[in-house]
Amino acid sequence: MAEALDTVVAVETPEGILIELRPAGLVVRSYAFAVDWGIRLAVLYAVAMLTAFIGGVGLAVWLILLFACEWLYPIVFELKGSGATPGKRVFKLKVTMDNGLPVTPAASITRNLLRVADFLPFGFGFAIASMLMRKDYKRLGDIAAGTMVVHQQKPAGKPVLADVPPITPATALAPRTQAALIALAARAPFLTVERLDELAAIAAPVSGDARRSGRRVTHRVLGVAQWAMGRRE
Amino acid sequence: MTPLQFEQLYDKEWDELELSLDRHAAAPSARAIAGARFTELYRHTCGHLAIARGRSYPPHLIDRLEHLTAECHQLIYQQRELGAGALLRIITRDFPAAVRAHSAYVATATALFLVPTLVLGFLVYTQPELILSVVDAETAAEFDAMYSGGAQSIGRLRDVDTDWAMFGHYIRNNIGVAFQCFAGGLFAGLGSIFFLAFNGAYGGAIAGYLTERGLGHIFYSFIVTHAAFELTAIVLAGAAGLRIGHSLLAPGRQTRVQSLIAASRQAIVLLYGVTAMLVVAAVIEAFWSSATWMPVSVKYGVAGLCWSAVFAYFAFQGRHAR
């Protein structure tokens, strides 16, 4: 089920390991676009006020700036280190190649020049249609350039669990089951005792206590969570 | 081996790798990290990740190793072909070579641009009232005034200020048109065909109209120099668009998406050159074409040089470069 819902894209490196990328969807990308749009509008407005006093040269500067804001702004920011415009950085997104590597200049220029095609027929219609129809949320420019907009993730860090003696699980545990047990144990201090018992009863098969519940079973399930954290009996 | 022992055993290597990554993030340069040691640690860590996954080690451990390897992978395999060297290579070799490689598309785009220009030019020249089916009466009158030698004329001495304002306008407008010609190719080439034919027809109609009115000498001496760069650039942008459109229609043995990506990667080189040519065109159009104190013979002479230079550049530049 989780596989069917997840939009994770896995790419294999030459070292033979898989790297997981999480493509960013329409909504968060629209927010990022709105922020970028606001920034550009503010800059153009401010410069327009300054250049109004210096006539033709001022107008030239402003028109060139308008050109730069329309076409060069995303390219410059995507190629400058982080691979993200300020708007994308606010929402922790970045542009990568299909294989997870930083975006190349050619790809960045391609995807940003093709923005015109994405804008058609009006209001980014084709971009929205394309993003809604694809699992990796690419707009037309992304498809042609072989790029993707992904969530930048930071490692979650090591969860801190209450100290319970570890218990070896009754059956082999899949990584996802282990993660669920650890998440339960991490939430334990914030749950009422009764609710914790209820939840632990669902997980009870891992400690060989299927169809049983109660304080002792909870204790044993939390023990298995300790095992999943890497401690051994 | 328990996961805790595993972690204790290799923790130092991972820390060292993380430290190198941090140092590189703080000061991005190749010297921030010791390459040989870095790649060695990276390969070790890839092995650790495979072991950790294979033995279902704790999720936080796998998570940490996944992020570590992903970041190293980005750093080691990134392709950044930016810089003065790359720019020089594009001008001296890649751009003219790309134009030659796309000669069939360039020829098609030229025809798509030129045929409507000539047809509309001829039609409007013989039946001037047809101009009103291309532009409205007001615009036609504006063009009249612009090239008539009167007060609003482009042929009058204009001040430096207006030159600059027009320069900004040409940059923004013309480069935008070129990018449209390219992007339109994404719709099976139809957009490129439309923009090429439209711009051709429009220019042709204006030229035919002004020639018929007897204002041709002012009009042609104004446009002839920058046209060498501007019109060729628009045609090349259209050719790039036709290329990507064709890659979608006839992908050959690739999937349509693969074919599109491959075609875009080659066609985009044309756009680098197109942008540069349009900047040159804007400089000429704003500061040279409008200079009326220049004798017409000099203007046509310089125009001839520009056209020859552009064609010679496409024909010969970078042919033998390795």
Side-chain angles (χ1 to χ4, degrees):
Chain A
M1 192 61 195
E3 261 89 33
L5 285 175
D6 272 353
T7 53
V8 172
V9 175
V11 291
E12 192 174 347
T13 73
E15 289 75 26
I17 55 163
L18 290 178
I19 288 176
E20 293 188 338
L21 301 171
R22 287 163 205 280
L26 174 61
V27 175
V28 69
R29 284 179 69 175
S30 322
Y31 290 159
F33 179 80
V35 171
D36 282 331
W37 194 73
I39 291 172
R40 283 180 281 185
L41 208 63
V43 169
L44 284 171
Y45 190 73
V47 173
M49 302 230 284
L50 290 174
T51 54
F53 301 106
I54 45 176
V57 178
L59 188 58
V61 168
W62 191 80
L63 284 167
I64 292 169
L65 189 72
L66 183 60
F67 168 78
C69 281
E70 270 178 311
W71 299 101
L72 305 182
Y73 170 94
I75 298 175
V76 168
F77 280 109
E78 278 168 21
L79 295 181
K80 204 191 69 138
S82 60
T85 57
K88 287 198 174 72
R89 214 171 304 153
V90 169
F91 293 97
K92 299 200 165 50
L93 306 178
K94 71 172 173 180
V95 182
T96 68
M97 302 300 288
D98 280 345
N99 56 10
L101 293 177
V103 64
T104 62
S108 173
I109 292 168
T110 306
R111 75 184 291 279
N112 285 306
L113 295 197
L114 289 176
R115 198 181 293 276
V116 200
D118 273 302
F119 185 79
L120 294 170
F122 56 87
F124 285 103
F126 284 130
I128 292 169
S130 167
M131 285 163 79
L132 289 179
M133 282 191 295
R134 294 179 62 99
K135 232 182 143 182
D136 51 12
Y137 311 124
K138 287 182 176 199
R139 62 177 175 84
L140 302 181
D142 285 322
I143 299 173
T147 55
M148 211 166 10
V149 178
V150 299
H151 288 282
Q152 268 177 321
Q153 319 160 66
K154 285 269 154 271
K158 195 173 179 174
V160 185
L161 306 185
D163 198 26
V164 177
I167 292 175
T168 308
T171 55
L173 298 182
R176 204 161 346 117
T177 318
Q178 292 191 32
L181 278 174
I182 293 170
L184 174 67
R187 281 176 67 205
F190 309 106
L191 297 168
T192 60
V193 180
E194 293 77 10
R195 181 62 183 149
L196 182 60
D197 285 347
E198 275 173 21
L199 290 173
I202 301 170
V206 298
S207 57
D209 298 298
R211 284 190 297 283
R212 270 179 289 184
S213 65
R215 201 62 32 92
R216 264 183 52 80
V217 174
T218 305
H219 198 257
R220 284 170 60 77
V221 168
L222 293 182
V224 178
Q226 286 290 338
W227 183 92
M229 282 292 288
R231 290 177 60 191
R232 294 292 181 261
E233 288 176 68
Chain B
M1 186 188 288
T2 73
L4 282 182
Q5 286 170 327
F6 184 77
E7 212 173 341
Q8 269 161 13
L9 193 58
Y10 299 117
D11 205 31
K12 261 203 211 101
E13 291 193 9
W14 304 336
D15 281 344
E16 191 182 338
L17 207 47
E18 273 164 359
L19 197 72
S20 313
L21 283 173
D22 288 345
R23 213 177 304 144
H24 184 268
S29 82
R31 261 172 296 152
I33 42 179
R37 177 70 180 148
F38 186 77
T39 46
E40 186 189 2
L41 287 172
Y42 168 61
R43 277 192 296 271
H44 285 183
T45 310
C46 285
H48 300 155
L49 174 59
I51 292 170
R53 274 180 181 155
R55 295 181 188 163
S56 292
Y57 275 172
H60 68 88
L61 186 61
I62 295 178
D63 199 38
R64 178 181 176 192
L65 294 178
E66 275 177 355
H67 278 93
L68 198 52
T69 47
E71 274 182 51
C72 295
H73 173 246
Q74 294 232 333
L75 202 60
I76 290 171
Y77 290 97
Q78 67 177 336
Q79 306 173 8
R80 291 263 150 120
E81 70 258 31
L82 270 181
L87 223 57
L88 194 69
R89 205 192 58 223
I90 288 170
I91 295 170
T92 57
R93 202 178 68 199
D94 292 356
F95 175 50
V99 173
R100 289 191 292 272
H102 290 85
S103 53
Y105 298 98
V106 175
T108 314
T110 309
L112 283 168
F113 182 82
L114 222 49
V115 171
T117 310
L118 294 176
V119 169
L120 262 281
F122 178 74
L123 282 178
V124 174
Y125 181 67
T126 48
Q127 294 159 278
E129 69 277 9
L130 276 180
I131 187 71
L132 294 178
S133 50
V134 180
V135 297
D136 56 24
E138 218 170 288
T139 318
E142 257 170 49
F143 274 108
D144 253 336
M146 218 153 91
Y147 297 101
S148 66
Q152 292 294 309
S153 172
I154 208 144
R156 269 176 65 88
L157 281 179
R158 72 181 184 200
D159 52 18
V160 178
D161 236 21
T162 325
D163 278 351
W164 273 103
M166 288 315 288
F167 174 67
H169 173 75
Y170 295 139
I171 289 276
R172 170 170 145 60
N173 195 56
N174 298 350
I175 300 183
V177 168
F179 289 172
Q180 262 177 353
C181 279
F182 168 63
L186 209 49
F187 306 109
L190 291 177
S192 300
I193 294 173
F194 170 78
F195 283 121
L196 282 170
F198 175 81
N199 285 310
Y202 191 87
I206 300 296
Y209 175 69
L210 291 173
T211 311
E212 197 273 337
R213 308 272 294 168
L215 305 173
H217 60 287
I218 299 177
F219 178 68
Y220 293 117
S221 71
F222 174 69
I223 65 157
V224 68
T225 315
H226 62 255
F229 299 95
E230 195 174 303
L231 298 188
T232 34
I234 300 279
V235 165
L236 289 176
L242 292 179
R243 171 76 203 278
I244 60 173
H246 188 223
S247 76
L248 281 171
L249 286 176
R253 306 195 62 156
Q254 295 171 306
T255 67
R256 279 182 215 280
V257 169
Q258 283 173 342
S259 158
L260 174 66
I261 292 175
S264 307
R265 199 170 296 157
Q266 291 169 14
I268 199 70
V269 179
L270 290 175
L271 266 291
Y272 302 158
V274 164
T275 312
M277 286 178 77
L278 286 170
V279 172
V280 174
V283 173
I284 296 175
E285 192 171 358
F287 301 110
W288 168 265
S289 299
S290 61
T292 37
W293 46 268
M294 195 71 60
V296 173
S297 54
V298 175
K299 277 198 163 176
Y300 280 114
V302 170
L305 277 179
C306 284
W307 279 98
S308 326
V310 167
F311 282 120
Y313 173 72
F314 289 145
F316 303 114
Q317 178 62 48
R319 258 191 199 280
H320 305 293
R322 264 292 140 255

